[in-house]
Amino acid sequence: MGSPHGTFDFVVAANRLPVDRVVDDDGVARWQTSPGGLVSAMDSVMAGRTAAWVGWAGDPGEDIEPFDREGTRLHPIALTADEIRDYYEGFSNTTLWPLYHDVIVPPLYRRRWWAAYRAINQRFAEAVAEVAADGATVWVHDYQLQLVPTMLRDLRPDVRIGWFNHIPFPPVELFAQLPWRQSVLRGLLGADFLGFQRTTDAGNFARACHQLLGATRSGDVVSWDGSDDELQGAAPRRVRVSAVPISIDFAGLDELARTPAVRERAREIRSSLGDPETLLLGVDRLDYTKGIRHRLRAYSELLADGDLVPPQVTLVQIATPSRERVSAYRELRSQVDGQVGRINGDHSGIGAAAVHYLHHAYPREEMAALFLAADVLLVTPLRDGMNLVAKEYVASRWDGGGALVLSEFTGAAQELTTAFQCNPHDIVGLKQTILRAMHEDPADRRKRMLAMRRRVRKHDVFGWARRYLSALEAAPDRPGGGGRPRDRGEGSGLG
Ligand code: GDG
């Protein structure tokens, strides 16, 4: 080992740092903590440890020196404009994102993007190796960094490595399209523990390892002897693989939604929309996985059928700008713009808009007020790892009001079983589900909401982080770990 080890005994590696660089009115740049549950969850597990976070600062550009913020060392990874294009917009968001979301749009396979992905993953692995203390725990996040576990293990066999996939892991029949499929699996198998949103995702990963690498699975341990056709000489691996579904800061959101300012704002929102009998709401990143077009299609048919009539009913659709340099996202935007224009042209009146379409990001308080104001939240993804918006809506409804229409293709559908579940591809079924959510007996709707609130309160983001880390601690082949001995049940193939 060349250079001396670092001093941080807990290291997070994620594509982005937990801060954004903002420039004040007076032209001075400063760092602002990014909003969101992941950052709060990580704060909660970092407290009391010497912790570092390795990630990209968000702009193309020069090296930024590591700096300390709220007790955590932030270690920026610099990316040039070409690297952002090839590693981030290209391989991460034009190859992996669509491939892992059921090929809703066709993934593109470009050798130049793959080369950049490998190089940037290596850069992350080296940065982690530099800051991690002897025997440190390293938590790697998401699909942008799938090669980091093995690259890091090669540099630092002493550290304990976990990886969590925020998005689905596809069935092997789709994953097998990837020209570099074995390298990706091998990259992940460098971890001690791989966490997924759903049991199905963990199963898909294990099946891919079986079919493409000849690995075996026993319980939640995948074993690979390191031999396969293309990659010679790898060390054998035993890796724990299971589902640890992510959640949100229930108490924080519940508290925010109860504040007088948020409640007042919720009333104001309804009154500025003409106090509709039913306010429908959609809140999504503008992403083709979220089923926004299917939702708008169902809504426009309900208007055309005369089942819904503005201004008694209106839809607010927040579509947060996302990945605007990627062509599939630009195309989606123009399709959604067109659809909204047609719906409003056909069905709005003066002071009675059928759709209020807002292509902006909003502060957390405004989101909570929108959740509290909405009678029905429409969450209709074609595929979604979890969908935090659904859980955030539930946490905001301290009043037991509201109704959630939820696609069965989200991770959240496995937990929020009393939601009005739907198949967004089935437009007739989706229309009926929206009407059912609007018209069900209020006492029954309330029961559904209270059951979902109990679930999310009990399984919040802090519990998720604790569960994840204890699974990582108990990973196989580690002193004190809970792994099974090698001779028990191994080699049984995939159940
Ligand atoms: C990925 C997976 C998985 C959105 N607009 C605004 C805003 N948001 C916040 C939401 C929510 C988050 O962004 C979006 O999370 P989702 O889970 O809905 O979706 P992805 O961005 O696709 O996230 C997903 C997640 O990772 C976590 O593992 O659940 O399946 O795809 O928190 O509230 N927040 C604010 N203003 C906005 O305009 N403040």
Side-chain angles (χ1 to χ4, degrees), residues 1-8 129-136 155-159:
M1 213 73 47
S3 54
H5 295 173
T7 54
F8 295 94
E130 190 186 318
V131 298
D134 261 336
L155 295 165
R156 290 290 304 274
D158 60 296
V159 298

Side-chain angles (χ1 to χ4, degrees), residues 35-36 249 252-253 256 262 362-369:
D249 177 4
L253 202 49
L256 177 66
V262 166
Y362 288 91
R364 230 174 125 242
E365 293 71 19
E366 183 73 357
M367 303 291 278

Side-chain angles (χ1 to χ4, degrees), residues 159-174:
V159 298
R160 186 179 288 255
I161 305 168
W163 175 81
F164 181 77
N165 197 28
H166 290 258
I167 70 173
F169 197 90
V172 61
E173 292 76 10
L174 295 177

Side-chain angles (χ1 to χ4, degrees), residues 32-75:
Q32 181 178 293
T33 303
S34 324
L38 183 63
V39 175
S40 340
M42 290 301 117
D43 280 350
S44 75
V45 292
M46 283 170 164
R49 312 190 196 218
T50 52
W53 188 310
V54 175
W56 171 41
D59 291 313
E62 78 290 3
D63 281 337
I64 302 169
E65 282 302 307
F67 56 99
D68 290 332
R69 195 179 156 86
E70 288 161 17
T72 300
R73 168 68 51 87
L74 301 187
H75 192 105

Side-chain angles (χ1 to χ4, degrees), residues 250-274:
F250 180 93
L253 202 49
D254 174 86
E255 190 186 328
L256 177 66
R258 288 174 196 264
T259 56
V262 166
R263 288 156 73 168
E264 176 53 30
R265 178 65 192 142
R267 280 190 292 271
E268 235 173 69
I269 289 170
R270 288 190 74 97
S271 111
S272 62
L273 295 168

Side-chain angles (χ1 to χ4, degrees), residues 166 197 285 290 320 361-362 384-389 392:
H166 290 258
Q197 300 278 27
R285 269 189 314 99
K290 303 292 183 184
T320 312
Y362 288 91
D384 211 334
M386 176 54 62
N387 197 286
L388 296 180
V389 171
E392 288 164 356

Side-chain angles (χ1 to χ4, degrees), residues 58-128:
D59 291 313
E62 78 290 3
D63 281 337
I64 302 169
E65 282 302 307
F67 56 99
D68 290 332
R69 195 179 156 86
E70 288 161 17
T72 300
R73 168 68 51 87
L74 301 187
H75 192 105
I77 297 288
L79 297 178
T80 66
D82 285 356
E83 288 168 343
I84 295 168
R85 184 193 61 207
D86 294 346
Y87 147 77
Y88 178 69
E89 293 158 2
F91 200 77
S92 297
N93 288 325
T94 310
T95 304
L96 294 174
W97 181 269
L99 179 65
Y100 284 28
H101 288 90
D102 291 358
V103 301
I104 296 166
V105 308
L108 298 183
Y109 303 114
R110 298 256 161 89
R111 281 164 278 185
R112 195 186 63 217
W113 293 350
W114 166 244
Y117 185 80
R118 275 183 17 212
I120 303 307
N121 272 248
Q122 185 67 39
R123 193 173 300 164
F124 270 83
E126 284 167 11
V128 173

